Amino acid sequence: MKAVSFKGGLKLPVLQTGVDRSIISVPPGRELIVPMKQDLGPECKPLVKKKQMVQAGEMIGESPLEHGACIHAPVSGKVTDVTRSFVHFSGKRMPAVVIAKDGPTNKSRRQDKDSFLDSLFFGGLVDFDKDTVPLAVKLDEAKLNHVDSLIVNAMDVEPFFSSRIRVMAEKIHDVLAGIKTIQEYLNIKQVYIVIDQQYTGLLSDHQTRLLHDITLVPLKYKYPQAIDYLLVKAILDKEVLCTIPCRDIMHSQDIDGLVLSVDTLAAVGSKLVSTERVITVRDSAGKIHENFQVEIGTRFSEILDACSYELDPESRIVAGGPMSGQILADPSMPVTKDLQGIFILDKEHIVKKDPKTCIKCGLCVDVCPARLIPFMISGSVEKANYDQAQKYQLSSCFECGCCSYVCPSHIPILHWIQFGKFEIFKQRSRL
Ligand code: SF4
Ligand code: SF4
């Protein structure tokens, strides 16, 4: 099939040297921190108490949402704390369960429940995407909308990351099993796997033969290549009208195609309870580029230790990725289901430029793949005019960061947008 693309976005330098780095399992540390909110659904309620013993795979947090995603112990051990004041890398405060590892990390199979969506709910499955929606919610909406096309997204969310392409190359049997399960549940007629056109050669002839009637779609390399709405437009030439109300549950209308990430499908196909994920760890100097399978709750510092990376105190850790991640002050942050990877900004690449006044050059508008007017949204948030920011569709921004990247006035547009969403979320939480 001919390579496809989308409007807007950025052609960044191609530096993905880690696509040939096989996935390595990182052993969990002695103590794991498991936050009770790891997706766009509401906070889970902790089901365990301090000093209680838990088994790996045991449910320790229950979602109050009918089709949310529950949370499980990644390891066996003793609960040493159930705190209410853990601060996630997004800045949100939430409960968390701390477990001191004491025993094996056996994987637990998901239990069959009365309905398929219940088995996903109790198995804790989410779509491992930037907007981490509980999988049962996403499939429920797809069923209601009679979606009949499935797009499997093997494009990495951030530049320099390579975890998804490695999952595609190394876990293809789980991916195909996951596709078959979803196909049967939704009565899907057409399946597409979208892959960066540079890496179609990573699949062996044998793997390509396994795809049978699945269409492999090469996508031209352009950031942000992994956004659901852009893929539906590029492949099906259909619009998806979506709003993501301030990092709350996704609400969408007119869904024509369901997009699921390749690691989500591998998780469905594995039939395991969700307690781990594959992430990329990469630094800006290119000294390190690894794809790690890690237990949820493992601290960033332990992951860096696992690859013998000595963190310079002047470097910065970015949770998520170089374009849209959050800079952290604390390397003890744990891995959660909504983390795509860890990026280290080496001290020589930290550039501080003071923001200047917007010159209305329109560059941010040209690159915005969501077809928004970024300078109007960020300007409204800066003036604390959140109603006006909403009128300019703040909620429809998918936080790719292209606008901030091109702005000649160095205005941190994305950070204003994230701040605006966070403020609106806080206001709604008080209602
Ligand atoms: S790119 Fe920067 S200076 Fe240009 S319109 Fe957007 S915010 Fe203003
Ligand atoms: S406004 Fe949002 S979607 Fe548009 S370029 Fe900026 S971050 Fe990306």
Side-chain angles (χ1 to χ4, degrees):
M1 190 172 172
K2 209 172 132 223
V4 296
S5 192
F6 55 87
K7 282 191 188 148
L10 294 168
K11 286 184 182 141
L12 295 168
V14 180
L15 292 173
Q16 288 192 331
T17 53
V19 286
D20 54 348
R21 308 290 290 175
S22 299
I23 299 168
I24 301 169
S25 282
V26 174
R30 278 177 300 181
E31 191 180 67
L32 290 91
I33 306 171
V34 188
M36 290 290 109
K37 179 166 163 59
Q38 303 187 27
D39 57 46
L40 287 192
E43 200 173 278
C44 286
K45 181 172 166 253
L47 299 175
V48 290
K49 292 197 170 72
K50 199 170 168 179
K51 296 190 182 166
Q52 185 176 331
M53 298 302 292
V54 290
Q55 295 296 317
E58 183 179 331
M59 200 161 98
I60 57 171
E62 184 170 15
S63 170
L65 184 75
E66 188 191 359
H67 291 141
C70 298
I71 292 175
H72 303 78
V75 293
S76 299
K78 189 179 197 175
V79 175
T80 55
D81 199 7
V82 182
T83 171
R84 287 217 60 79
S85 54
F86 171 77
V87 182
H88 180 259
F89 60 75
S90 62
K92 287 184 190 151
R93 198 171 286 274
M94 61 186 68
V97 172
V98 185
I99 303 171
K101 182 174 170 288
D102 178 17
T105 320
N106 298 335
K107 296 288 147 208
S108 301
R109 285 179 72 81
R110 292 196 300 274
Q111 308 227 322
D112 285 335
K113 297 284 175 187
D114 290 345
S115 78
F116 175 54
L117 293 190
D118 277 356
S119 73
L120 300 178
F121 169 90
F122 286 108
L125 270 81
V126 299
D127 185 23
F128 286 127
D129 205 3
K130 200 159 174 304
D131 293 308
T132 315
V133 181
L135 188 56
V137 170
K138 208 160 176 177
L139 295 189
D140 192 33
E141 281 208 29
K143 188 122 190 154
L144 287 172
N145 284 276
H146 308 288
V147 163
D148 62 3
S149 300
L150 171 64
I151 298 173
V152 180
N153 188 0
M155 305 288 295
D156 275 283
V157 172
E158 286 273 343
F160 318 135
F161 282 10
S162 50
S163 56
R164 283 193 184 164
I165 189 70
R166 289 313 312 173
V167 168
M168 186 68 205
E170 296 181 45
K171 300 188 179 213
I172 194 156
H173 291 285
D174 281 345
V175 173
L176 292 174
I179 290 173
K180 190 163 179 279
T181 306
I182 303 290
Q183 207 170 359
E184 285 171 3
Y185 177 69
L186 292 176
N187 199 16
I188 294 282
K189 300 207 170 37
Q190 184 64 52
V191 182
Y192 304 87
I193 296 181
V194 57
I195 190 166
D196 191 323
Q197 67 171 358
Q198 308 167 88
Y199 304 131
T200 48
L202 275 181
L203 296 182
S204 66
D205 289 347
H206 170 66
Q207 287 174 321
T208 309
R209 275 196 297 277
L210 291 174
L211 300 182
H212 297 298
D213 51 358
I214 297 173
T215 309
L216 199 62
V217 185
L219 193 76
K220 288 181 189 164
Y221 173 68
K222 186 160 70 159
Y223 177 80
Q225 62 274 38
I227 303 282
D228 291 11
Y229 327 117
L230 301 178
L231 294 178
V232 171
K233 178 75 181 152
I235 295 165
L236 304 177
D237 194 21
K238 290 182 174 165
E239 296 287 338
V240 186
L241 304 175
C242 284
T243 53
I244 305 164
C246 304
R247 299 230 154 260
D248 210 336
I249 270 295
M250 184 167 81
H251 170 71
S252 42
Q253 312 125 24
D254 287 1
I255 302 177
D256 282 311
L258 172 67
V259 185
L260 293 175
S261 69
V262 74
D263 32 1
T264 304
L265 287 153
V268 173
S270 75
K271 295 192 171 5
L272 295 175
V273 162
S274 177
T275 59
E276 63 185 12
R277 69 160 304 167
V278 179
I279 59 165
T280 297
V281 180
R282 157 91 199 206
D283 73 334
S284 58
K287 286 179 278 187
I288 172 180
H289 195 141
E290 301 290 354
N291 296 304
F292 285 141
Q293 179 143 325
V294 285
E295 298 296 336
I296 301 300
T298 307
R299 294 171 195 266
F300 289 10
S301 50
E302 285 162 343
I303 296 170
L304 296 178
D305 286 349
C307 47
S308 308
Y309 186 85
E310 218 166 296
L311 186 67
D312 188 298
E314 287 179 55
S315 298
R316 294 284 174 271
I317 296 182
V318 187
M323 288 298 287
S324 61
Q326 305 280 343
I327 292 182
L328 301 181
D330 180 7
S332 65
M333 186 63 63
V335 170
T336 44
K337 293 179 192 177
D338 51 1
L339 180 81
Q340 306 298 324
I342 301 170
F343 187 74
I344 314 289
L345 192 55
D346 294 286
K347 62 177 178 185
E348 56 269 31
H349 293 128
I350 299 174
V351 183
K352 283 189 190 152
K353 288 189 178 155
D354 290 332
K356 299 193 188 98
T357 312
C358 172
I359 53 169
K360 305 282 188 296
C361 66
L363 282 177
C364 55
V365 181
D366 292 345
V367 294
C368 177
R371 287 169 276 167
L372 303 175
I373 311 176
F375 69 87
M376 289 306 294
I377 305 176
S378 63
S380 306
V381 174
E382 204 174 343
K383 290 183 209 130
N385 190 344
Y386 302 119
D387 287 343
Q388 184 168 290
Q390 287 284 51
K391 280 189 194 139
Y392 283 104
Q393 299 179 40
L394 167 123
S395 305
S396 299
C397 163
F398 33 69
E399 302 183 19
C400 63
C402 291
C403 48
S404 302
Y405 185 86
V406 295
C407 178
S409 296
H410 314 298
I411 297 170
I413 307 172
L414 172 60
H415 289 277
W416 280 119
I417 290 174
Q418 288 171 328
F419 178 75
K421 288 185 179 185
F422 186 58
E423 284 301 305
I424 292 169
F425 173 83
K426 274 201 310 194
Q427 286 174 5
R428 285 190 182 173
S429 309
R430 284 197 288 267
L431 293 178

